[in-house]
């Protein structure tokens, strides 16, 4: 019998902190291998562990803070946590402010899509993105008083924005 928790099960703060500690150890080893300096912060909120890596000016985290790299490292870190806990992890990894940069990019995408709707388009589709990014987009769209829905499957899952009907 496996000990895999369903996505809908809410984790305790202690479980999230354990995930964060395991993830931080994994990332710390990676930074050591890459000979990069970075400070690691762990937080537990909204049913997820958040691990942030930041460094003082002059440290070169830019190599690891590209969106595709952060996404890949997040998946590897989730696997490391899962191998230690036996449970699927939904942890979020941020390196060098990459999540804030991606949120700003998503805000620009939503603003352009909202402009298309205001100019008369029936709907505006955004490119495929992760479930976490789609959640951010849904929140941004709602703040603008518009409606959004996810469509597609797997790697093609994307958000479509429409007027509130």
């Amino acid at each position: 019998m496996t000990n895999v928790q369903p996505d809908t099960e809410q984790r305790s703060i202690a479980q999230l902190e354990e995930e964060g500690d395991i993830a931080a150890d994994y990332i710390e080893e990676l930074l050591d291998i890459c000979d990069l300096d970075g400070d690691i912060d762990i937080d537990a909120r909204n049913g997820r562990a958040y691990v942030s890596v930041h460094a003082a000016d002059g440290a070169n985290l830019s190599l690891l803070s590209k969106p595709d790299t952060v996404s890949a490292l997040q998946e590897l870190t989730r696997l490391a946590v899962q191998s230690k806990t036996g449970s699927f992890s939904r942890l979020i990894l941020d390196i060098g402010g990459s999540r804030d940069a991606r949120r700003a990019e998503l805000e620009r995408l939503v603003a352009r899509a909202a402009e298309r709707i205001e100019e008369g388009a029936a709907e505006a589709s955004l490119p495929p993105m992760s479930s976490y990014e789609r959640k951010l987009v849904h929140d941004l769209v709602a703040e603008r008083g518009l409606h959004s829905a996810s469509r597609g499957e797997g790697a093609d899952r994307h958000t479509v924005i429409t007027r509130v009907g």
Side-chain angles (χ1 to χ4, degrees):
M1 181 171 168
T2 60
N3 186 24
V4 176
Q5 297 175 337
D7 287 345
T8 57
E9 185 173 324
Q10 192 69 288
R11 304 249 167 89
S12 70
I13 295 295
Q15 289 170 310
L16 295 173
E17 288 173 347
E18 178 189 14
E19 285 186 21
D21 288 340
I22 294 167
D25 290 344
Y26 180 80
I27 294 297
E28 188 171 10
E29 286 181 39
L30 174 72
L31 293 174
D32 287 344
I33 290 168
C34 296
D35 197 26
L36 294 172
D37 292 326
D39 296 319
I40 300 173
D41 292 326
I42 304 166
D43 191 17
R45 62 183 189 275
N46 302 324
R48 292 180 188 243
Y50 286 76
V51 177
S52 300
V53 181
H54 51 89
D57 290 339
N60 193 6
L61 284 180
S62 64
L63 296 171
L64 298 179
S65 65
K66 293 181 170 74
D68 289 342
T69 304
V70 173
S71 182
L73 289 174
Q74 178 176 278
E75 290 307 312
L76 289 172
T77 305
R78 286 176 172 179
L79 287 172
V81 170
Q82 183 175 339
S83 74
K84 295 260 184 177
T85 65
S87 299
F88 175 76
S89 173
R90 296 177 55 223
L91 78 86
I92 300 296
L93 177 64
D94 177 57
I95 299 177
S98 60
R99 293 288 173 190
D100 288 340
R102 181 62 174 153
R103 182 181 175 89
E105 185 179 333
L106 293 173
E107 287 173 350
R108 289 188 296 274
L109 280 173
V110 168
R112 285 195 300 269
E115 286 173 11
R116 292 195 308 264
I117 298 294
E118 289 168 9
E119 292 169 354
E123 63 181 36
S125 294
L126 300 182
M129 55 188 71
S130 71
S131 61
Y132 176 76
E133 290 174 335
R134 287 192 314 275
K135 167 70 171 102
L136 290 176
V137 165
H138 291 307
D139 292 344
L140 293 168
V141 168
E143 288 171 10
R144 291 178 166 272
L146 296 170
H147 175 75
S148 61
S150 293
R151 292 186 189 159
E153 299 295 325
D156 292 327
R157 193 133 173 99
H158 62 283
T159 306
V160 177
I161 302 169
T162 58
R163 293 186 189 284
V164 175

